[in-house]
């Protein structure tokens, strides 16, 4: 009996619970304005928590107060506010607050509000939460706020805030969330908004937040595009531009709030501001703040100005110049202040593929290698780097000035698996001084890797290049145009196997103590033809060439192993490529590409064409030219060089240039055009031009020294001529006479 009663009780309990759970909850209502209620406020007053109010297009002259959890939708709900047109739901009260979200009579942390697809305009404040009781969550999306004098969207007292796809124009503060202590910071998502002409574009007291994809622009007074207290926050993919007296992003100096910390600033554009990134003196600690992989360019004062208490990591940014930042930096990009880490820098705008990286001797080439993606290019500025390098990915490592001015004191270890690497290049190689170590370059490659080592000096090692205990298998290796000397072994190759190819060509392998080339346990023949072994008679070692059967019995350095060495260079040679601009030519040694033994001094003579041209200067690889301003000079061949002779016309308009203060003025352009089109094409005109350029330089010098004379000549003489030529341009510019 008890068993039956127990079963009956359980069944009754199950049935009763089922009945309870199947009782429908009261459904949320949809209220339409003006169909159901004539005003927005009347609809809100009638609504219950969870209702949705849909407001038709039109202008509503009312100050709206939302005091419950609901969704307020305009006619453009779901449509991005940044670029839309057409009918709008417009809240236009003419002053006060457009939409006030009131939590005064709510239980803390309960109010949930969504505002979507409308416009608020001509108010003191656009959308605000002024009551000091925290809302649970507020979302504002697809909303336009126009001409709000103070705050546009300010979700101060809310635990969680989302503002996205909004357009804000004309405000003191465009988008804000978070209050002050003792209230907690807001968890915010500010995404894909546009703020125009706002002193503070995005600001607040935020934690664990995301500021992403926003365009903040065009404010001509002091302000900041992104600011506030940011805690554990990501700032990425934003563009802040046109804060001409302010900063793109700033840290510190924001009311009685904690200091920002653990902020990742990445993939942003900070441009055309006074300051790209600014740390106030009040930011006494810079804990976990990183500014990496941004475009910081075209800012008038500083790209980064750090007046805070610690060093700021601003590495891996584009500064507007491949040479890096200026200020304490070495280059011509945006300036940086002290207490800013900038090495390595990006040599192009972030997102460029492949990326070029820059580094100078105050930093680490290895840091650039570690940061680079496969296929990237690293360019090391001239100087001395005391460091060991490990290359374990596909990349190109160059110097900015060549081995004559760029030295690595240390070693380079290359471990490649199905990867491609280039070390050096014409005028972009290194001197690698192993400082008595085992190797200058150690190479291990397999699985179809391709390695090129070219235009370097490798010295002061047991082996300049070695594969000892690091086999080369199924790989292509090219060692070309290097000077490998003052080592025990120039090149030590061990266990070259599989479908590998090794080309060693046009290197200087002289002055190595034991062997120029030592090959051990190789299953393939190493192609080492056309190298310089230190003597015209070729290498020693009594090795037989496997193709020509010639014996290496010269007095040069020794070789050993399965090596093709015949033919060899009877002298080490470099190439000289010569060209010229219009107006003349190089008559000695001529123009084209020429080969010379290392150390040869080559005579250079540049001849201008007729008497209307003169020699200007030599350009290109001019480091070894005795006098770059002399048309008759010489160059010493210590490398492969490419040079050009530059000529200029005697007809540079001396008097007009002095009158305008520049040789690029638009007025001078039309004078030059008239000279070239009319005067120089007939005998009388050419004689006039010749007489003018013979007599005008001293007159121009006098004009340039006196502002009054310059103005008088410009206004009374040159300008009238320019006006006449301008008015008659269509007539004489088509003349064939």
């Amino acid at each position: 009996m008890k068993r039956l009663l127990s079963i009956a009780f359980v069944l009754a309990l199950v049935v009763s619970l089922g009945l309870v759970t199947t009782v429908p909850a009261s459904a949320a209502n949809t209220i339409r304005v003006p169909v159901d209620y004539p005003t927005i406020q009347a609809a809100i007053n009638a609504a219950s928590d969870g209702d949705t109010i849909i407001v038709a297009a039109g202008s509503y002259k009312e100050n709206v107060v939302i005091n419950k959890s609901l969704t307020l939708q305009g006619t453009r709900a779901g449509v991005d506010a940044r670029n839309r047109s057409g009918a709008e739901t417009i809240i236009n009260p003419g002053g006060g607050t457009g939409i006030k979200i009131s939590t005064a009579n709510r239980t803390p942390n309960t109010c949930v509000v969504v505002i979507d697809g409308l416009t608020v305009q001509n108010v003191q404040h656009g959308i605000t939460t002024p009551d000091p009781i925290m809302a649970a969550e507020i979302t504002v999306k697809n909303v336009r706020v126009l001409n709000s004098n103070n705050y546009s969207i300010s979700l101060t007292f809310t635990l969680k805030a989302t503002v996205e796809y909004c357009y804000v124009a004309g405000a003191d503060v465009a988008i804000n969330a978070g209050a002050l202590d003792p209230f907690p910071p807001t968890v915010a998502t500010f995404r894909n908004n546009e703020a125009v002409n706002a002193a503070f574009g995005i600001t607040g007291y935020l934690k664990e937040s995301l500021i992403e994809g926003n365009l903040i622009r065009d404010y001509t007074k002091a302000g900041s595009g992104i600011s506030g207290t940011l805690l554990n926050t990501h700032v990425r993919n934003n563009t802040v531009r046109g804060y001409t007296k302010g900063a793109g992003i700033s840290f510190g100096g924001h009311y009685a709030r904690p200091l920002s910390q653990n902020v990742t600033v990445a993939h942003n554009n900070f441009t055309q501001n006074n300051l790209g990134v600014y740390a106030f003196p009040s930011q006494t600690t810079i804990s976990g703040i990183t500014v990496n992989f941004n475009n910081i360019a075209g800012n008038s004062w500083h790209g980064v100005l750090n007046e805070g208490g610690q060093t700021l990591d601003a590495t891996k940014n584009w500064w507007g110049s491949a040479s890096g930042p200026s200020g304490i930096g070495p280059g011509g990009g945006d300036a940086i202040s002290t207490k800013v880490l900038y090495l390595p820098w990006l040599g192009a705008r972030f997102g460029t593929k492949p990326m070029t990286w820059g580094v100078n001797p105050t930093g680490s080439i290895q840091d650039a290698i570690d940061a680079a993606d496969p296929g990237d290019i690293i360019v090391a500025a001239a100087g001395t780097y005391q460091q060991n390098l490990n290359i374990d990915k596909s990349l190109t490592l160059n110097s900015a000035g060549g081995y004559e001015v760029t030295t690595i004191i240390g070693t380079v270890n290359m471990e490649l698996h199905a990867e491609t690497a280039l070390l050096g290049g014409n005028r972009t190689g290194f001197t690698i001084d192993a400082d008595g170590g085992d190797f200058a370059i150690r190479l291990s490659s397999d699985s179809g890797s391709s390695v090129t080592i070219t235009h370097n000096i490798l010295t002061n090692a047991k082996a300049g290049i070695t594969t000892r205990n690091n086999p080369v298998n199924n790989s292509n290796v090219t060692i070309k145009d290097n000077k490998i000397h003052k080592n025990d072994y120039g090149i030590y190759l061990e266990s070259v196997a599989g479908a590998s190819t090794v080309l060693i060509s046009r290197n200087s392998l002289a002055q190595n103590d034991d062997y120029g080339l030592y090959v051990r346990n190789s299953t393939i023949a190493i192609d080492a033809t056309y190298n310089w072994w230190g003597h015209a008679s070729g290498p020693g070692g009594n090795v037989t060439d496997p193709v020509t059967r010639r014996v290496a019995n010269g007095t040069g350095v020794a070789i050993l192993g399965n090596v093709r060495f015949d033919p060899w260079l009877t002298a080490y040679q470099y190439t000289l490529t010569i060209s010229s601009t219009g107006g003349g030519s190089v008559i000695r040694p001529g123009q084209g590409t020429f080969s010379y033994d290392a150390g040869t001094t080559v005579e250079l003579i540049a001849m201008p064409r007729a008497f209307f041209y003169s020699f200007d200067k030599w350009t290109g690889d001019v480091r070894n030219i005795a006098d770059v301003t002399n048309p008759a000079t010489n160059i010493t061949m210590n490398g492969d060089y490419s040079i050009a002779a530059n000529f200029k016309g005697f007809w540079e308009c001396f008097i007009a240039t002095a009158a305008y203060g520049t040789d690029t003025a638009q007025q001078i352009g039309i004078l030059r055009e008239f000279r070239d089109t009319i005067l120089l094409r007939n005998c009388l005109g050419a004689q006039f031009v010749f007489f003018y350029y013979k007599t005008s330089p001293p007159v121009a010098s006098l004009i340039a020294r006196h502002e009054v004379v310059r103005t008088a000549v410009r206004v009374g003489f040159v300008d009238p001529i320019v006006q006449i030529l301008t008015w008659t341009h269509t007539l004489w510019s088509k003349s064939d006479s």
Side-chain angles (χ1 to χ4, degrees), residues 524-673:
I524 65 169
I526 305 302
D527 185 346
T529 55
Y530 298 103
N531 291 286
W532 168 244
W533 303 98
H535 194 272
S537 60
N542 294 313
V543 172
T544 300
D545 187 290
V547 175
T548 67
R549 311 309 300 173
R550 193 167 184 176
V551 177
N553 56 6
T555 58
V557 295
I559 61 175
L560 182 68
N562 188 10
V563 177
R564 287 196 58 199
F565 60 88
D566 181 27
W568 58 82
L569 298 180
T570 57
Y572 191 60
Q573 294 187 322
Y574 292 111
T575 60
L576 176 63
T577 301
I578 303 175
S579 62
S580 66
T581 62
S585 62
V586 179
I587 62 172
R588 184 173 296 175
Q591 296 186 186
T593 299
F594 307 89
S595 296
Y596 297 98
D597 293 348
T600 301
T601 298
V602 181
E603 185 181 13
L604 302 174
I605 298 178
M607 180 68 70
R609 177 161 48 91
F611 50 74
F612 291 123
Y613 292 89
S614 68
F615 176 80
D616 183 16
K617 60 183 176 181
W618 299 95
T619 58
D621 300 323
V622 297
R623 188 177 295 109
N624 284 3
I625 292 181
D627 184 354
V628 297
T629 62
N630 194 331
T633 185
N634 61 70
I635 184 171
T636 301
M637 298 300 297
N638 290 328
D640 294 328
Y641 302 129
S642 178
I643 61 174
N646 292 260
F647 300 90
K648 62 181 179 181
F650 278 121
W651 46 77
E652 298 307 316
C653 198
F654 300 116
I655 291 177
T657 298
Y660 288 111
T662 174
D663 62 357
T664 60
Q666 181 179 1
Q667 296 90 336
I668 295 176
I670 199 166
L671 291 171
R672 288 171 173 155
E673 184 183 357

Side-chain angles (χ1 to χ4, degrees), residues 82 87 98 103 119 241 390 476 501 514 573 629:
R82 296 173 295 176
T103 56
T119 294
R241 68 169 188 253
N390 183 55
N476 298 319
T501 61
D514 293 336
Q573 294 187 322
T629 62

